[in-house]
Amino acid sequence: MTAPAIKISGLYKAYGDISALAGASLLVGAGEIFGLVGPNGAGKTTLIKAICGVLKPDRGAVTILGLDAGSERYAVRRRLGYMPQEPALYEDLSPRENLAFFGSGYRTAGLEKRIRDSLEFVGLWQRRDDPLHTFSGGMRQRASLACALLRDPQLLILDEPTAGVDPTLKQAFWEHFRELKQRGITIFLTTNMMDEALHCDRVAVIRSGRVLVTEAPDAIRSRGRARITIELAGGGLREADVSGYEEELPRLLLSYGLSDKVRRVSIHRPSLEDVVLSMIQKPDGGWWITQMRNKTRNPKPETRNRGAKAQ
Amino acid sequence: MIRNLNAIAVRINHQFLRDRRFMALSMAVPLLLMLLLKYVLSSLPQLARLGVHISDYAILAAAFLVHFLAYVLSTIVLVRDRKDGTLARMFVYGFRRREIVLGYVGGYSTIAAVQTAVVLILTKYLFDVNLLPDIVPVALTMLALAVVSVGLGVFISNFARNEGQVFPFIPLLIVPSALLSGVVIPIRNLPALLQWCSYVVPLRYAVSVLAAVLQEHQPFFSQLAPFLTLLAVGAALLAGASMTLKEQE
């Protein structure tokens, strides 16, 4: 990994008795699309606020592009594009007026051109002078994304950018994100939709203010337990929940004799959503988090018999 | 700083101009309230027997109205921005606390100034108050009061997390303003403790200047002390608002 775009170490934040962040740590590489997934209230937005320097953590450190997000927040913000969860634009102003206003905060060179480029990028140039209250939810999200792109940021922070967006527009958003990645922009986004997480280079799963795991989506998925069902000639069924089924399957078949006794083998691989859900729903972070902590490399498959004539 | 402050003020005025209903109500409310005041005072002939001149009272009531409208108008602003996420976005996009506070005061003072003009015109024509000889000091005092009231509103809106929390602050400041400023009861008739309390009420200083200039026909420069105190209270409120505006949660 190249020099990190975001480095978060042991971040804590509490609102009264409620702990929003409880030791969250993250490392996001420059130029990657990084997804933070987790249920509502897991601490995603709080973490984003800490990155943008609008939240003062109780403990821990946030370094953005080599700068401290607290003491050097003004320098950090110059390099950021920020798209909050809600559109956070003025409804009675047009996209062009909104972008002109927010673009004036830091002196943005060639602001007029930047406004045009950003609005064209999200396909809103034709509607540039219409007030935002005449826009659909998806169009407001696009206007908000245009605002985030205004300053040609090095790091784009997107808080649930596709929430409430229809599938076609969602696809268009992801095309935008990939195009931005091609330009070398690091994208950090939060989502609670697993189909979105699949588009990311790496994903971190957060629950109760703690990051449980950071991996590529496929790596997370492959760690899920596949269910192997072996249908025997006599009508019995053998089911086994295994991790690393590619290795486990031959072993299982050998144990059943690899003969005409085995009539059919079916494998159900868990989706990314299944795996993430198993992590965030269990108090210890799911079976394989515990497994990783215990450094157990080859867990024994859990097998059980079903059917009258099972061997 | 001036550039960003101006950008905020211009943006607020653009928003006002787009919201025609708001603009119409902003003008209609002082008009209706002044008409109501005229009707109520005209229906009390016993006031004249008590030596109370309606025209004398009208300018004080007008000052109270300017204070009330400007304060109520601006209490909600930062709360709405905080709730909509635009305040956080402003911070991330490079606006500083003092620029936001002064920008809001600048933007809202425009509409407050228009309301002040409406109130002054109504005072002259509805209550037959001869404002013209003293129009400069009267307008200056009313305008200063409007700006200070906007500053008070912005300061108060810092302490509310949502619109609902703003409402208790409205009577909390407006009722003492009415009672302790000399609009309803002359300050000298108040108990000593309340007389001391009245020093923190901005409206008191405006009422003092207006009463001296219009009723006692004193020159404006003899009233520089209360006028400058009004400005100082405004400056203190703006400094307080800048310091209490939370950039980081």
Side-chain angles (χ1 to χ4, degrees):
Chain A
M1 193 190 291
T2 53
I6 300 174
K7 187 180 175 190
I8 295 172
S9 325
L11 212 60
Y12 286 83
K13 179 72 184 178
Y15 297 99
D17 293 338
I18 298 162
S19 172
L21 293 174
S25 296
L26 265 185
L27 210 57
V28 178
E32 68 176 334
I33 301 182
F34 190 96
L36 184 65
V37 302
N40 292 335
K44 301 189 295 291
T45 299
T46 311
L47 203 63
I48 278 201
K49 286 180 177 174
I51 291 169
C52 295
V54 290
L55 178 125
K56 202 173 185 176
D58 298 332
R59 199 151 35 106
V62 182
T63 309
I64 308 296
L65 303 163
L67 300 161
D68 184 86
S71 61
E72 296 173 288
R73 60 184 177 277
Y74 301 118
V76 168
R77 288 171 185 170
R78 280 181 182 277
R79 293 158 174 81
L80 284 188
Y82 169 54
M83 180 181 174
Q85 209 173 99
E86 61 281 0
L89 295 170
Y90 295 101
E91 297 261 308
D92 29 18
L93 299 183
S94 68
R96 182 149 73 171
E97 287 168 327
N98 268 294
L99 266 62
F101 170 65
F102 285 107
S104 64
Y106 285 118
R107 284 167 197 258
T108 308
L111 182 60
E112 278 304 313
K113 187 178 180 307
R114 294 287 327 145
I115 291 171
R116 183 176 181 134
D117 290 348
S118 301
L119 287 175
E120 278 181 344
F121 186 75
V122 298
L124 283 180
W125 180 245
Q126 300 300 320
R127 300 284 308 269
R128 61 190 176 275
D129 292 321
D130 295 341
L132 227 62
H133 64 74
T134 63
F135 283 21
S136 67
M139 287 165 80
R140 286 175 208 197
Q141 289 287 84
R142 277 152 67 188
S144 183
L145 177 62
C147 194
L149 297 173
L150 195 59
R151 292 197 310 252
D152 214 0
Q154 286 173 254
L155 172 63
L156 198 53
I157 307 291
L158 311 169
D159 194 1
E160 298 196 15
T162 56
V165 166
D166 68 65
T168 315
L169 188 58
K170 200 183 282 185
Q171 199 176 5
F173 262 57
W174 276 99
E175 279 164 20
H176 289 328
F177 298 158
R178 279 189 283 270
E179 206 179 317
L180 292 167
K181 179 185 154 76
Q182 292 294 314
R183 292 190 203 165
I185 297 172
T186 306
I187 300 177
F188 180 90
L189 61 90
T190 65
T191 183
N192 48 24
M193 289 177 278
M194 294 309 134
D195 59 326
E196 297 237 276
L198 285 169
H199 294 287
C200 298
D201 297 323
R202 287 193 310 138
V203 166
V205 180
I206 187 168
R207 192 200 64 189
S208 306
R210 289 190 67 189
V211 175
L212 300 177
V213 65
T214 306
E215 288 260 26
D218 272 346
I220 292 180
R221 195 178 163 214
S222 69
R223 287 176 181 272
R225 291 194 135 186
R227 170 158 293 185
I228 298 174
T229 308
I230 298 171
E231 196 179 320
L232 301 172
L237 287 176
R238 291 285 173 95
E239 286 181 339
D241 291 333
V242 297
S243 59
Y245 75 94
E246 292 92 341
E247 292 83 35
E248 286 299 327
L249 183 60
R251 205 170 62 77
L252 271 174
L253 290 175
L254 274 174
S255 72
Y256 300 135
L258 263 186
S259 65
D260 56 2
K261 285 180 185 169
V262 175
R263 213 171 71 187
R264 181 180 293 167
V265 177
S266 60
I267 301 163
H268 170 72
R269 280 193 72 193
S271 66
L272 182 64
E273 186 161 1
D274 294 332
V275 180
V276 171
L277 276 175
S278 78
M279 286 181 212
I280 60 182
Q281 283 175 347
K282 292 180 183 174
D284 59 356
W287 68 270
W288 72 266
I289 295 288
T290 316
Q291 189 186 43
M292 284 174 74
R293 285 185 191 138
N294 295 339
K295 298 184 192 299
T296 308
R297 294 184 65 85
N298 292 308
K300 271 189 154 184
E302 292 167 9
T303 57
R304 55 185 174 274
N305 298 333
R306 269 170 55 190
K309 293 180 184 176
Q311 276 191 313
Chain B
M1 177 182 163
I2 300 291
R3 199 169 148 274
N4 283 359
L5 188 160
N6 188 49
I8 294 171
V10 168
R11 190 261 297 159
I12 290 167
N13 286 312
H14 273 164
Q15 288 178 277
F16 283 146
L17 292 172
R18 296 283 158 78
D19 195 342
R20 288 181 189 165
R21 184 181 295 186
F22 173 81
M23 287 299 283
L25 281 170
S26 298
M27 299 305 117
V29 168
L31 173 70
L32 290 172
L33 292 178
M34 289 297 275
L35 280 171
L36 177 69
L37 187 69
K38 165 75 177 170
Y39 183 71
V40 170
L41 293 178
S42 306
S43 63
L44 297 170
Q46 57 271 43
L47 283 178
R49 286 201 296 275
L50 291 169
V52 176
H53 300 288
I54 292 175
S55 58
D56 285 351
Y57 191 71
I59 191 66
L60 306 186
F64 173 74
L65 197 57
V66 163
H67 175 59
F68 177 66
L69 292 174
Y71 168 68
V72 171
L73 182 77
S74 49
T75 45
I76 210 87
V77 293
L78 285 175
V79 177
R80 208 168 45 194
D81 267 295
R82 193 176 289 121
K83 193 173 136 280
D84 292 347
T86 40
L87 186 64
R89 195 168 214 159
M90 269 196 270
F91 281 128
V92 175
Y93 281 71
F95 292 92
R96 304 291 178 95
R97 292 188 301 179
R98 59 182 182 278
E99 292 166 352
I100 293 172
V101 167
L102 292 175
Y104 270 98
V105 171
Y108 277 81
S109 291
T110 315
I111 188 96
V114 176
Q115 285 184 329
T116 303
V118 171
V119 168
L120 283 176
I121 291 166
L122 291 170
T123 308
K124 174 171 169 44
Y125 290 104
L126 279 180
F127 295 93
D128 201 24
V129 178
N130 187 15
L131 290 175
L132 284 178
D134 300 304
I135 190 65
V136 173
V138 169
L140 214 56
T141 308
M142 286 289 225
L143 199 60
L145 176 66
V147 175
V148 170
S149 306
V150 169
L152 180 65
V154 172
F155 178 68
I156 289 300
S157 73
N158 264 337
F159 300 101
R161 286 264 151 223
N162 55 54
E163 281 100 334
Q165 289 178 4
V166 165
F167 294 115
F169 284 110
I170 294 173
L172 186 69
L173 273 102
I174 287 302
V175 175
S177 275
L179 294 175
L180 304 180
S181 60
V183 172
V184 179
I185 308 156
I187 293 172
R188 62 178 179 278
N189 294 350
L190 292 170
L193 177 67
L194 293 183
Q195 285 190 32
W196 276 104
C197 293
S198 74
Y199 284 111
V200 296
V201 175
L203 183 59
R204 172 207 161 113
Y205 303 103
V207 165
S208 169
V209 176
L210 293 170
V213 170
L214 285 174
Q215 293 165 14
E216 296 159 25
H217 304 290
Q218 292 182 25
F220 179 58
F221 66 80
S222 71
Q223 294 303 309
L224 277 180
F227 182 75
L228 292 176
T229 311
L230 176 66
L231 296 184
V233 170
L237 283 170
L238 295 185
S242 294
M243 283 190 287
T244 51
L245 178 61
K246 268 190 162 183
E247 182 187 341
Q248 290 183 299
E249 284 178 19

